[in-house]
Amino acid sequence: MTDFPQNLDHTFTAPIGVDVKGEIWSCVEMPGSAEFFGTKKSVRVDATVDDIPMPDVGLMVTGRGGHMLSLSAATRKRLGKSLGDVVVVHLQRRLR
């Protein structure tokens, strides 16, 4: 059994916009996430998106075996980004 919190240092880039059953959601999908986390269930993390702190956020399951991070309209405005724009996500700590 893994103890939490667990320090991470994992960075990935991805465009904003994940196709979920024909709808584009304002999320970024993490490549290889199920293998990285060892689970296909939701995961809580501390992260940054383009260096903006996002403490205790959930990576939701995609339904295709991966995980995605939702970016609210307020977060996208703060980032100055919209659907299709690429962001850099840095995972710092897995919480549970």
Side-chain angles (χ1 to χ4, degrees), residues 45-57 69 71-72 74-81 87-92:
V45 297
D46 287 334
T48 62
V49 177
D50 285 356
D51 295 322
I52 292 177
M54 297 191 66
D56 196 7
V57 293
L69 173 64
L71 298 176
S72 68
T75 299
R76 292 190 316 276
K77 182 176 181 179
R78 191 169 170 206
L79 291 166
K81 303 270 177 112
V87 293
V88 177
V89 179
H90 180 226
L91 305 178
Q92 300 168 317

Side-chain angles (χ1 to χ4, degrees), residues 52-67:
I52 292 177
M54 297 191 66
D56 196 7
V57 293
L59 294 174
M60 306 175 293
V61 293
T62 62
R64 297 182 303 274
H67 295 81

Side-chain angles (χ1 to χ4, degrees), residues 20-65:
V20 179
K21 298 182 182 179
E23 291 184 30
I24 303 299
W25 290 14
S26 59
C27 299
V28 291
E29 188 166 2
M30 179 182 168
S33 61
E35 295 81 14
F36 181 82
F37 290 116
T39 185
K40 294 181 181 180
K41 296 181 180 180
S42 295
V43 177
R44 304 287 308 174
V45 297
D46 287 334
T48 62
V49 177
D50 285 356
D51 295 322
I52 292 177
M54 297 191 66
D56 196 7
V57 293
L59 294 174
M60 306 175 293
V61 293
T62 62
R64 297 182 303 274

